[in-house]
Amino acid sequence: MGQSLEQVYVHIIFLTKGREPFLVDADLRERTHAYLAGICRNQDSPALIVGGTEDHVHLLCRLGKQTTVSHLVRELKRNSLSWAKAQHGELPNFHWQTGYGAFSISPGQVADLIPYIANQVEHHRKESFQDEFRRACAKYDVETDERYVWE
C-alpha cells in the first residue's frame, strides 16, 4: 500500500486536581473547552467535541498519525493550565489531576458519544462522576485501582 491511513478516535477524560470545581462558571468552562479543542487541532488531533462540568473534561478527538495519547494529554493539560492561569487571575490554584482515562472509540460509536459529551452537566444531575468513570472502565474492560483513580 502506497499510503498510510488511520482513523483512530479517542475519548479522553481528566479531572481538576482534587476535583475542585474550578470550572463552575459556564463561560469560563466553554472558553476552556474551546481552548482544549484548539490544542487538539495544533497537535493534528482534531476534537469532535469537548465538554464536561466544573471538575472534569470529556474530549473526543481523532488521533493524529504522529501523536500518542500520552503526548496529547500532556499537551492538553500543560497548555491549558498555562492559559488558564494567564487569562484568569482568579484561578491561581487551578491544576489538572495527574492521571486520565483514554478509551478507543469505534467510528460507529462516535454519533452516540457526541451528545453524551455535550450533555455532561445534565447527565451529572443523575449520575456521579465516580459512577460514570467506573461504568466507562467496565465497558472498555479497564482495570482500576480505587486508591489512585480519585487522587
Side-chain angles (χ1 to χ4, degrees):
M1 179 174 286
Q3 61 181 337
S4 299
L5 304 171
E6 295 181 14
Q7 186 87 319
V8 179
Y9 294 101
V10 181
H11 179 195
I12 299 169
I13 305 168
F14 53 91
L15 300 159
T16 59
K17 183 136 182 109
R19 295 203 47 228
E20 289 291 323
F22 290 117
L23 303 174
V24 70
D25 178 74
D27 181 57
L28 173 60
R29 188 168 51 245
E30 286 179 27
R31 286 184 286 131
T32 302
H33 294 167
Y35 194 80
L36 290 165
I39 295 167
C40 286
R41 187 174 45 256
N42 291 339
Q43 294 295 313
D44 195 32
S45 296
L48 281 71
I49 187 166
V50 181
T53 67
E54 67 274 355
D55 65 359
H56 72 279
V57 169
H58 288 256
L59 189 147
L60 175 61
C61 69
R62 194 177 71 241
L63 198 61
K65 289 180 187 179
Q66 304 297 320
T67 306
T68 65
V69 173
S70 61
H71 175 78
L72 177 60
V73 173
R74 184 172 48 252
E75 291 301 303
L76 286 165
K77 289 181 178 183
R78 184 176 60 83
N79 290 327
S80 63
L81 177 64
S82 296
W83 171 82
K85 290 188 173 203
Q87 296 291 315
H88 309 285
E90 72 274 12
L91 295 175
N93 298 321
F94 177 75
H95 287 283
W96 295 112
Q97 189 181 72
T98 304
Y100 62 91
F103 308 97
S104 60
I105 303 300
S106 73
Q109 294 173 301
V110 168
D112 291 335
L113 189 56
I114 289 173
Y116 175 79
I117 291 174
N119 294 313
Q120 278 292 293
V121 172
E122 179 64 30
H123 170 76
H124 284 292
R125 291 187 180 124
K126 300 172 190 158
E127 182 178 42
S128 72
F129 173 78
Q130 290 92 334
D131 288 343
E132 172 188 54
F133 195 74
R134 285 181 188 114
R135 187 171 41 78
C137 289
K139 178 179 180 177
Y140 297 107
D141 201 24
V142 175
E143 290 185 34
T144 61
D145 186 332
E146 291 275 332
R147 296 175 296 174
Y148 305 109
V149 172
W150 315 121
E151 189 182 318

